[in-house]
Amino acid sequence: MSNLDSYQNQLRDLSEREQKAEAGGGVDRVAKQHAAGKLTARERIDLLLDPGSFTELDKFVVHRCTDFNMDQQKFLGDGVVTGYGTIGGRTVFLFSQDFTVFGGSLSGAHASKICKVMDLALKTGAPVIGLNDSGGARIQEGVESLGGYAEIFWRNVQCSGVIPQISVVLGPCAGGAVYSPAITDFVFMVEGSSYMFVTGPDVIKTVTHEDVTKEALGGAEAHAEKSGVCHFVSPSEQACLASVRRLVGFLPLNNLDASPLRTFDSHRGTGEQDPLDRLCLEIPKILPDIPNKPYDMRRVIETVVDDGEYFEVHATYAGNMVVGFARMGGRTVGIVANQPAHLAGCLDISASLKGARFIRFCDSFNIPLITLIDVPGFLPGISQEHGGIIKHGAKLLYAYAEATVPKIALIIRKAYGGAYDVMSSKHIRADFNFAYPTAEIAVMGAEGAINILYRKEISDAEKAGKSEEERKRLTELYRCTFANPYKAAELGYIDEIILPEDTRRILNHCLKVLATKREQGPSRKHGNIPL
């Protein structure tokens, strides 16, 4: 045989092995995956990454198990596709579990492949994305599969705050498998096909005698609205992967990298960049004349940011707090805002957790924070107190105080009581604090304050049958004296009282000034956030 013939044989052998690896669990199992409305591991990668950018690693890895006749059941790749590619021309590492091979279950070899791409992502400073679709630990391997999960968890912690970590749940994710997504920065799920739970419905029925479906227990809606585990929900895998691409576009590659700069935007279809000093003439129309009337804070955000493009995070969880990414002058910013259209914008347990988690992510990755404030206080109630609003509210306070990124706060309407302090006040070291003339900054609302300050006057008025008139007079007196931004401005707690239409211009100017901000906290291993 000539050297050329030998080379051709080697090429054929390589090609056959590659085709075998790319076939996954075979035609029948792929068809079953499609019948369930799910894409294959490789189809998902093709949709997520830039065309032709994927480079696969460990394509021919197989498991090492010999028990239960497993040595006779081997598939190249062992149920997970790993490698790297680009999104918007920027490198990301990823793994995509293949449900057509052993139900995507995790073996020691499967885990090693995932760990390798995580190590490479950390070394090179690139985001890591996990496409999860797995039946859990491979039972045949016992403790080796459990050890594989723990190796992944350890790496999740090492990567935390260093590179962005994104989990995309596109099928079952149960038992110990759920803890990796829980440690990562963002979790995506798909309606009707994504499930996450520590113990499934059958176990729950056996132990607690509760009947519950997979969807009600751990479906996308349950985790997006109730538990808060899921940040983004999509109606299809295609839409989900498109959302992941959009998110990556807002994020820096690592904690030393600057956020990507979008140098050109087509503003309102004009083909021009959104002017930095554009007037926000819509804001006065959005804000109600009546102080207690609700409005949608999202409309204010969309009016201020570049091209009205706002990418909301946790959109259906804790509706009284709004968080998400936008761009100002082409650079990514994190927006944290109270939402008067839900629970009057009060802070509660869920809102505090939602805000704190988002703030800490932005601080980890050098993303400036803009806080829009309209908060009447913390939500009262027995369930809130017994649920731990003290420690959970303290997490939001801790996150703001800990953050060293540029912090700009704007009081739009109400800022009452401890909630004023917590929401990025000057006292916890916001860099610039502004207020509209409509701002009300006080210990509490006028209606509650007069009951304490003017108890005798109200009592006398009630005896005289003029309590309603007296209450109105005292309420207006309190509002004129305290419920305005001028006392705080006199004390230097508010840097400037601005007109709503100047909001974008002033925020962009402040971001430019703060672009070189450097702040170093005291030397310590880490703080002890009130968990």
Side-chain angles (χ1 to χ4, degrees), residues 10 66-67 90 103 128 169 174 212 226 246 252 282 284 315 319 404 428 454 520 525:
Q10 289 169 355
T66 57
D67 296 318
R90 303 159 74 227
V128 63
V169 180
V212 64
K226 297 177 182 178
R246 188 179 176 203
E282 299 90 342
T404 59
I428 56 174
Y454 303 109
Q520 192 70 39
K525 187 175 181 181

Side-chain angles (χ1 to χ4, degrees), residues 171-302:
C173 186
V178 298
Y179 290 111
S180 177
I183 300 171
T184 60
D185 299 304
F186 299 103
V187 176
F188 289 76
M189 297 181 75
V190 175
E191 295 171 358
S193 60
S194 299
Y195 307 101
M196 296 177 72
F197 32 70
V198 175
T199 52
D202 294 340
V203 175
I204 287 176
K205 186 173 183 179
T206 300
V207 176
T208 69
H209 308 295
E210 296 171 287
D211 274 315
V212 64
T213 64
K214 285 195 302 183
E215 187 68 36
L217 177 64
E221 183 179 333
H223 284 308
E225 297 181 10
K226 297 177 182 178
S227 73
V229 170
C230 173
H231 299 83
F232 303 96
V233 174
S234 299
S236 67
E237 291 193 15
Q238 291 85 346
C240 178
L241 296 170
S243 292
V244 176
R245 285 182 60 90
R246 188 179 176 203
L247 173 64
V248 171
F250 281 100
L251 306 183
L253 295 177
N254 55 64
N255 65 333
L256 300 178
D257 189 30
S259 300
L261 175 64
R262 178 179 286 184
T263 55
F264 181 81
D265 290 313
S266 177
H267 176 55
R268 304 291 195 270
T270 63
E272 299 177 357
Q273 187 171 356
D274 196 349
L276 299 179
D277 59 352
R278 170 174 54 79
L279 293 178
C280 300
L281 300 176
E282 299 90 342
I283 294 180
K285 302 173 187 176
I286 295 170
L287 302 180
D289 294 331
I290 303 170
N292 292 329
K293 189 175 180 180
Y295 61 94
D296 189 352
M297 183 65 81
R298 294 183 186 90
R299 293 181 61 199
V300 176
I301 295 169
E302 290 166 358

Side-chain angles (χ1 to χ4, degrees), residues 360-371:
R360 299 192 90 206
F361 175 85
C362 290
D363 188 48
S364 294
F365 293 99
N366 309 309
I367 298 172
L369 286 162
I370 295 175
T371 304

Side-chain angles (χ1 to χ4, degrees), residues 369-373 405-411 423-435 492-496 498 506-515 517:
L369 286 162
I370 295 175
T371 304
L372 303 178
I373 302 156
V405 293
K407 293 180 286 188
I408 305 169
L410 169 61
I411 300 174
M423 291 296 294
S424 198
S425 66
K426 181 68 72 178
H427 321 284
I428 56 174
R429 305 305 185 264
D431 299 296
F432 289 111
N433 292 76
F434 301 105
Y493 302 158
I494 297 297
D495 296 303
E496 188 180 357
I498 67 172
I506 289 170
L507 292 181
N508 270 318
H509 179 72
C510 290
L511 288 167
K512 184 177 180 181
V513 170
L514 293 170
K517 177 185 177 183

Side-chain angles (χ1 to χ4, degrees), residues 308-350:
E309 184 188 3
Y310 172 58
F311 189 50
E312 189 168 357
V313 177
H314 259 151
T316 58
Y317 178 69
N320 40 327
M321 174 78 81
V322 176
V323 303
F325 297 108
R327 291 184 180 88
M328 294 288 284
R331 287 282 186 199
T332 300
V333 294
I335 308 284
V336 180
N338 307 113
Q339 174 57 293
H342 186 87
L343 294 177
C346 277
L347 293 176
D348 63 359
I349 291 170
S350 297

